[in-house]
Amino acid sequence: MDKILLWSLLLLFPGSQASRPLAQRNFEFAVDLYQAICLSHKNNIIFSPLGTTLVLGMVQLGAKGNTQEQIRRTLKLQKNSTGEEFSVLKSFFSAISEKKQEFTFNLASALYLQEGFTVKEQYLHSNKEFFQSAIKLVDFQDAKASAETISTWVESKTDGKIKDMFSGEEFGPLTRLVLVNAIYFKGDWKQKFTKENTRLMNFTKKDGAVVKIPMMKALLRTKYGEMRNSSLKHDLKNYQEYLIFYFSVPGHFSESSMNYQVLELPYKGDEFSLIIILPAEDVNIEEMERRITAHRILKWVSEIQEEEVEISLPRFKVEQKLDFKDALYSLNITEIFSGGCDLSGITDSAEVFVSQVMQHVFFEINEDGSEAAASTGMDIPVIMSLAQNQFIANHPFLFIVKNIPTDSILFMGKVTNPDTEKMKGRDLDSL
């Protein structure tokens, strides 16, 4: 049986339609996929909803019947669209990548074909039209050489951050087509964290264990919102005051079923931002994950207001390779993984199927990347106690990297333990 090996490669290096708009449907798919991944991954998670959407979109262009319908339902695509949604999204991000002023953003796709394997011209044309996919020929019979060729391409598209992506063991004599999607983003903070203010602090992991991590500190004016139902009183007078306050004061959310804080930190250029959702210390992050919805996230983001906030944020790196097969199965994308799937829009071969859906992401948060000191937020000493709002991310939290103009989610994940083991010794020794 012929196999298609489907990979999506993502890298993030920040210094740092119809009834429902495309952005909302992007959020819905992102949250669905996040919750599906959480079923099998309980600790740190990082993935790209955008990258997953694009690489599945490349497949659905060649899928037919129920195989295509499963993908389209999961991606929240309109019933009668033929790929225009992908084209619009790709065109927008291509325009962003051409700016190359305040940040670096590269989005690239490629189809690696087995020499002699016949793929329909219409499929190749559609991929080039909607995804600007490069088409390259390799010989998967030489697994090692094929792995080196594709890995070199990945490395070139991720500024050298992801090396040796393939070992050759992923390919076999039945491999016929590999679809690759690479995303690279490097952004500078609009307001900087100074390295002099970074100190070792305690971080309480999900299991209650405490570890020492480098914690960045700054006093910034940025978008922030919070909800504190601990202030709810049972007497009528205070309850009425509570309702008036939380339903009328901007930046304070009115949902009484959850305690949390939301912080948005923009990157230089105001095209991208990092959103952090921090539950209260007595709220289990898994409970929060079960309650997260696209509507709720969009509501949070729309309601947060600019305020002065004393911020403590971990400096950390996360690198992860995820196999999406189980997650997609739980979202009812099942047929593409079986020999009975209909990918006749790709090739006339009746037994072609997808063997894997993988994604590799590198994610880093640090102090680097800022405007000149004279034009940025204030440099504040480590000991700060005058700010009314404090955002101290010293326990597990969720995060989102979004494109501001489109509200599209590039990356989403959670941190349950900043990966101190992978930090260079000098990073800790310097604190």
Side-chain angles (χ1 to χ4, degrees), residues 117 282 313 341 356:
F117 179 67
D282 59 350
L313 183 65
C341 69
Q356 296 182 35

Side-chain angles (χ1 to χ4, degrees), residues 213-228:
I213 63 164
M215 189 76 77
M216 306 183 301
K217 285 177 168 287
L219 180 61
L220 305 176
R221 185 166 184 81
T222 192
K223 287 187 176 181
Y224 170 81
E226 64 182 45
M227 194 297 185
R228 298 182 294 266

Side-chain angles (χ1 to χ4, degrees), residues 45-61:
I45 292 175
I46 172 68
F47 73 101
S48 173
L50 173 64
T52 310
T53 296
L54 293 178
V55 81
L56 286 175
M58 292 168 67
V59 175
Q60 74 88 32
L61 286 179

Side-chain angles (χ1 to χ4, degrees), residues 209-409:
V210 177
V211 294
K212 291 283 187 181
I213 63 164
M215 189 76 77
M216 306 183 301
K217 285 177 168 287
L219 180 61
L220 305 176
R221 185 166 184 81
T222 192
K223 287 187 176 181
Y224 170 81
E226 64 182 45
M227 194 297 185
R228 298 182 294 266
N229 64 15
S230 60
S231 62
L232 177 61
K233 304 297 182 181
H234 292 289
D235 61 277
L236 180 60
K237 181 174 182 293
N238 286 335
Y239 181 67
Q240 290 174 331
E241 291 175 352
Y242 170 84
L243 291 178
I244 294 173
F245 178 74
Y246 280 102
F247 277 88
S248 62
V249 177
H252 293 78
F253 309 131
S254 57
E255 300 169 20
S256 59
S257 60
M258 190 183 303
N259 291 337
Y260 55 84
Q261 293 174 291
V262 179
L263 182 76
E264 183 171 5
L265 297 174
Y267 291 104
K268 199 174 178 182
D270 291 320
E271 293 279 357
F272 300 94
S273 66
L274 172 70
I275 298 170
I276 302 175
I277 303 170
L278 180 69
E281 292 190 39
D282 59 350
V283 175
N284 187 293
I285 193 168
E286 293 178 348
E287 173 65 21
M288 186 176 209
E289 289 170 340
R290 287 191 289 270
R291 299 189 182 193
I292 287 289
T293 64
H295 173 76
R296 178 167 280 147
I297 293 176
L298 288 167
K299 182 174 184 289
W300 291 344
V301 173
S302 67
E303 291 184 355
I304 56 179
Q305 302 289 323
E306 281 201 359
E307 297 188 35
E308 190 174 75
V309 188
E310 180 182 322
I311 302 168
S312 297
L313 183 65
R315 186 178 78 196
F316 67 94
K317 299 177 185 178
V318 177
E319 185 171 358
Q320 190 170 46
K321 183 188 294 185
L322 291 176
D323 184 344
F324 283 117
K325 189 172 182 178
D326 289 342
L328 293 178
Y329 249 93
S330 71
L331 296 179
N332 200 36
I333 295 182
T334 59
E335 288 202 1
I336 63 172
F337 300 109
S338 68
C341 69
D342 187 349
L343 296 177
S344 56
I346 298 178
T347 178
D348 287 328
S349 173
E351 297 183 335
V352 66
F353 66 97
V354 176
S355 59
Q356 296 182 35
V357 180
M358 304 292 292
Q359 190 175 94
H360 193 151
V361 183
F362 176 90
F363 179 64
E364 179 171 2
I365 290 292
N366 58 39
E367 303 92 340
D368 291 341
S370 65
E371 298 175 339
S375 61
T376 63
M378 297 179 293
D379 294 342
I380 304 299
V382 173
I383 300 176
M384 301 174 290
S385 59
L386 299 179
Q388 181 179 359
N389 303 306
Q390 289 189 327
F391 187 93
I392 305 175
N394 61 358
H395 54 280
F397 57 85
L398 280 63
F399 65 88
I400 293 170
V401 176
K402 73 162 187 169
N403 174 253
I404 297 174
T406 65
D407 274 336
S408 296
I409 301 180

